[in-house]
Amino acid sequence: MQYQEVRIIKNTAIAPHIYSIWLEAKDIAKKIKAGQFLMLTINNHNHPFLARPFSIADTQPNSINIIYKVVGFGTELLSRKAKNEKISIFGPLGKSLKLPKNKVINLCAGGMGIAPLHFLAKKLSVNNQLTLYYGVKTASELIFQKEFKSLGIKTFITTEDGSFGRKGLITELLFNDLDPQTQYLYVAGPMTLVKKVAAMKLPSSNLQKIGFLEEHMGCGCGICFCCGVKGKNNHYLRVCQDGPAFDLSKIEL
């Protein structure tokens, strides 16, 4: 883990209220792995006081990409940051994923859950058969379509208002169309989505479901214990240390 002050390469709106920020962070960019995240401090004073956790959407040899949605004071401040300004990051944090090879894999993203799944997909697409199920509220919120297409990943899209793709929730499409040959299913997005996937009946007993969890964090490194999730054996796991990606058969949601 490293704490660094880094330079903003660019910070641009890519959809209504959705931004892409690229950070110059050579050392961390080389170390970070699929499933891990960063804690980001927006200002060098105490407002907002706590750092915020962000998943990784992409990396280049010398830089890291974070996709975020403006939903409150902290992300509003972040959206105002300009090229060459400095922010502080702490990471990489979390437990990296073991990447399967030569498997049939489905990815299920809801809203901003597409960001960590894009980084994961870049790693998995090298030697696996991937399909993406991606759901948003409306067409203007769709991002990363070109990136997934460039990876050769078959994609199914739903919008809640029917403005693009099939109308409805992505879980409806996923549950009806999931290939019975699927061996791994990765899901990221709102907790309601992760819970639905965790509870879904499987077409195969061999399918492993892995969910990316989002929790409020005070420290990001296991000290404060404010991001606990209950395991099936009645002991608590820390999202920041034992996750943020979990085998959904081993936790209670």
Side-chain angles (χ1 to χ4, degrees), residues 21 34 46 51 73 77 82 84 97 109 125 149 158 165 176 181 189 199 228-229:
I21 187 169
N46 292 331
F73 176 70
L77 282 180
N84 292 326
L97 286 166
S125 62
K149 186 176 181 180
T158 63
N176 290 329
Q181 301 301 313
V229 59

Side-chain angles (χ1 to χ4, degrees), residues 174-175 178-185 196-210 247-249:
L174 176 69
F175 294 176
L178 185 66
D179 185 344
Q181 301 301 313
T182 302
Q183 295 157 295
Y184 286 84
L185 172 58
K196 284 183 179 180
V197 171
M200 72 179 284
K201 294 182 179 180
L202 305 178
S204 167
S205 59
N206 295 323
L207 191 153
Q208 185 173 351
K209 296 180 290 185
I210 299 167
D247 182 335
L248 294 178
S249 68

Side-chain angles (χ1 to χ4, degrees), residues 35 95 97 186 210-213 239 242-247:
K95 190 175 180 179
L97 286 166
Y186 295 87
I210 299 167
F212 286 73
L213 301 191
V239 172
D242 303 299
F246 291 90
D247 182 335

Side-chain angles (χ1 to χ4, degrees), residues 6-9 21-25 62-64 66 87 89:
V6 297
R7 182 179 69 88
I8 295 172
I9 299 171
I21 187 169
W22 281 93
L23 305 172
E24 188 177 55
N62 298 319
S63 58
I64 293 170
I66 291 170
I87 59 175
I89 59 175

Side-chain angles (χ1 to χ4, degrees), residues 4 29-30 43 52 63 85 106 112 116 123 162 175 189 197 212 248:
Q4 290 186 356
K30 289 180 177 179
N43 286 322
R52 309 294 176 91
S63 58
E85 286 192 70
N106 280 198
M112 297 302 292
K123 309 296 184 183
F175 294 176
V197 171
F212 286 73
L248 294 178

Side-chain angles (χ1 to χ4, degrees), residues 13-31:
I14 58 173
H17 310 295
I18 299 174
Y19 286 75
S20 170
I21 187 169
W22 281 93
L23 305 172
E24 188 177 55
K26 180 179 179 180
D27 292 341
I28 294 178
K30 289 180 177 179
K31 294 177 181 178

Side-chain angles (χ1 to χ4, degrees), residues 152-163:
I153 298 174
K154 188 176 182 180
T155 301
F156 297 96
I157 293 173
T158 63
T159 52
E160 293 182 27
D161 62 2
S163 55

Side-chain angles (χ1 to χ4, degrees), residues 25 37 55 88 126 146 157 165 202 219 224 248 251:
F37 67 99
S55 58
S88 297
V126 176
K146 292 181 179 179
I157 293 173
L202 305 178
C219 67
C224 68
L248 294 178
I251 59 174

